[in-house]
Amino acid sequence: MGVADLGLPVDVPSTALFTDHYELTMLQAALKAGTAGRRSVFEVFTRRLPDGRRYGVVAGTGRVLDAVENFRFDAGVLDFLRERRIVDEPTLRWLAGYRFGGDIWGYPEGEVYFPGSPVLRVEGSFAECVLLETVILSILNHDSAIAAAASRMASAAGGRPLIEMGARRTHELAAVAASRAAYVGGFTSTSDLAAGFRYNIPTVGTSAHAFTLLHDRERDAFRAQVDSLGRDTTLLVDTYDVAEAVRTAVEVAGPELGAVRIDSGDLLLVAHRVRQQLDELGATGTKIVVTSDLDEYAIASLAAAPVDAYGVGTQLVTGSGHPTCSMVYKLVARAESADAAAPLVPVAKKSSGGKTSVGGRKWAARRLDEHGVAEAEVVGTGAVPAELAGRQLLVELVKGGEVVAREPLDAARDRHAAARAGLPLSATQLSRGEPVIATEYVHGGSGS
């Protein structure tokens, strides 16, 4: 049984309308002008990291591959475009047969990136590539923002487990994507069952304050939960008096009690008091889970506290203050004609206000110092220097319209842990700072 069989709203039959109106009007004009078939190269990159961030995290690549495969203009979509007179009949006929047949290269999911990094490179005709701009950016901007926040939180947690709990703080479909991105960034589990079903992420959860309030006494609530879920369950102990609740929890479950959860108050102080009380009651193996509007700074402040796991919601699914990565999708090279043999010509926007871009089909490599630590992100056109040939970052994701690089989500998660570990130690500092390594540009021709 699959997602579609259950009718869960986590997949859609077509992603073709996850785009902006002007993508289709550009297509119509290019078809009429005879330029739609020109071989083109688009690149996804960001000109800067969010203020104070030291690295970015690539997330959403797997979802991009799904979106490209599902970018189909079926009869209902075409009828909508026709009724609204968004494009003309020749364009509708072209769209009816649309299948992306080009190539996509990109940083593998979980890799880190920096300003100017060509996170994704889309190659094909102008017509087939330009239509994908909005859906690619919507996925990468959202998921990479969540993964970056998750990565910072995972660093602050110092190896302690992190639970994603943000479904109620965002759109129901965004919640599934956020859980996936958080897992890539270092979270260990989610409370969202749709994310667990769709992406096989471990799910956890026991009870809320409502369950305690439902019962006549806190003891009755604890007894009901233990009888149902076992002694290794997690009991929520801050509905009334924490100290009394901890005492009752151990009396009901015994020293085998799995964990207690604290969701309010001065978490640093309360965690120390609860740990002392649990130990005095003989529940030395009972863990402490804390929740309550945590972010990476709050998690870091609890580093010395006897906390065993953290649950994070709002700050995670909103990117901890940076809900987007400001990635853009720009045409960087195109042929002078629709002839397949026509060479590529670098093109770039020139404007004031920091919105310039660098033309040419690019490669990227990470240069390491003598200790194997990253020291520069090298981005260039043309031939790759021999000393960097083995350090290239882009991998082939789609070839001739066929996805060639699907992988388990755990592979992206492991890759991120390794990539972050390969950065200078200052990458994990939470204080404001510049990107932890600089981006260097090497120009070596058109890159055709």
Side-chain angles (χ1 to χ4, degrees):
M1 180 178 291
V3 177
D5 299 319
L6 294 181
L8 291 176
V10 293
D11 273 338
V12 292
S14 170
T15 53
L17 291 185
F18 290 173
T19 191
D20 288 308
H21 186 120
Y22 79 167
E23 310 291 6
L24 298 188
T25 54
M26 281 193 288
L27 169 65
Q28 176 177 305
L31 288 170
K32 188 172 183 179
T35 53
R38 290 186 173 186
R39 188 161 60 110
S40 300
V41 179
F42 287 82
E43 289 177 353
V44 175
F45 62 93
T46 185
R47 297 182 176 95
R48 64 191 65 84
L49 297 180
D51 186 34
R53 295 286 172 90
R54 296 172 183 263
Y55 62 92
V57 181
V58 178
T61 308
R63 296 208 306 122
V64 166
L65 298 180
D66 292 340
V68 171
E69 279 194 332
N70 291 329
F71 207 90
R72 304 283 188 269
F73 291 83
D74 57 27
V77 169
L78 292 170
D79 286 344
F80 165 78
L81 297 175
R82 181 178 291 109
E83 292 166 3
R84 298 291 183 94
R85 298 184 178 181
I86 291 171
V87 291
D88 59 19
E89 284 299 323
T91 304
L92 289 171
R93 288 194 294 271
W94 189 93
L95 291 172
Y98 178 84
R99 300 290 186 274
F100 179 73
D103 302 329
I104 299 178
W105 290 70
Y107 280 38
E109 190 158 19
E111 184 57 85
V112 296
Y113 70 88
F114 300 91
S117 296
V119 170
L120 201 73
R121 190 176 73 218
V122 183
E123 305 183 34
S125 70
F126 176 84
E128 64 184 337
C129 295
V130 74
L131 295 181
L132 300 176
E133 174 180 6
T134 304
V135 68
I136 286 176
L137 287 180
S138 66
I139 293 171
L140 292 180
N141 268 315
H142 173 269
D143 289 22
S144 297
I146 305 304
S151 179
R152 285 162 60 85
M153 293 174 188
S155 292
R160 297 171 181 174
L162 289 157
I163 307 163
E164 185 276 311
M165 309 171 62
R168 64 192 62 193
R169 298 291 188 250
T170 188
H171 184 279
E172 66 272 18
L173 299 187
V176 181
S179 180
R180 182 187 183 282
Y183 190 70
V184 170
F187 274 58
T188 52
S189 58
T190 179
S191 66
D192 189 78
L193 289 176
F197 176 77
R198 178 69 178 84
Y199 297 115
N200 200 33
I201 300 169
T203 60
V204 297
T206 50
S207 67
H209 293 290
F211 186 76
T212 301
L213 296 170
L214 168 69
H215 293 81
D216 296 334
R217 299 184 304 164
E218 192 170 47
R219 180 180 296 273
D220 297 335
F222 288 174
R223 172 55 62 192
Q225 184 175 327
V226 170
D227 287 348
S228 175
L229 301 179
R231 295 178 184 274
D232 62 347
T233 190
T234 300
L235 295 176
L236 182 59
V237 295
D238 72 326
T239 304
Y240 304 117
D241 179 82
V242 172
E244 181 60 31
V246 169
R247 184 179 303 107
T248 301
V250 176
E251 289 176 358
V252 169
E256 300 85 11
L257 174 62
V260 295
R261 178 162 75 95
I262 306 165
D263 189 50
S264 60
D266 183 336
L267 297 179
L268 179 62
L269 175 63
V270 175
H272 277 286
R273 289 178 174 174
V274 168
R275 180 74 272 159
Q276 180 179 354
Q277 186 180 10
L278 287 170
D279 291 346
E280 290 173 350
L281 293 170
T284 56
T286 299
K287 299 183 182 303
I288 297 175
V289 180
V290 296
T291 53
S292 184
D293 291 326
L294 298 177
D295 61 10
E296 60 265 51
Y297 301 102
I299 292 170
S301 73
L302 293 169
V307 172
D308 298 287
Y310 306 89
V312 189
T314 303
Q315 292 301 317
L316 175 66
V317 298
T318 57
S320 195
H322 297 290
T324 181
C325 302
S326 298
M327 290 182 182
V328 294
Y329 183 96
K330 296 299 180 183
L331 181 66
V332 296
R334 51 86 175 166
E336 293 182 332
S337 72
D339 186 341
L344 290 173
V345 177
V347 294
K349 176 180 178 180
K350 296 185 185 299
S351 67
S352 59
K355 284 196 171 185
T356 57
S357 56
V358 178
R361 181 181 185 271
K362 299 175 197 68
W363 51 263
R366 190 160 299 145
R367 191 173 68 237
L368 309 182
D369 65 16
E370 63 274 20
H371 304 293
V373 177
E375 66 175 9
E377 192 87 340
V378 185
V379 177
T381 57
V384 181
E387 66 272 17
L388 294 175
R391 301 295 309 170
Q392 293 190 72
L393 293 163
L394 278 79
V395 299
E396 193 169 32
L397 302 172
V398 176
K399 183 176 183 178
E402 297 296 324
V403 174
V404 296
R406 278 210 171 83
E407 62 181 5
L409 194 58
D410 278 323
R413 173 185 168 84
D414 293 343
R415 181 180 297 114
H416 176 63
R420 188 177 63 203
L423 295 176
L425 189 59
S426 58
T428 59
Q429 290 180 322
L430 296 182
S431 57
R432 290 184 178 274
E434 297 300 314
V436 71
I437 61 174
T439 303
E440 299 178 2
Y441 290 95
V442 178
H443 301 289
S446 66
S448 61

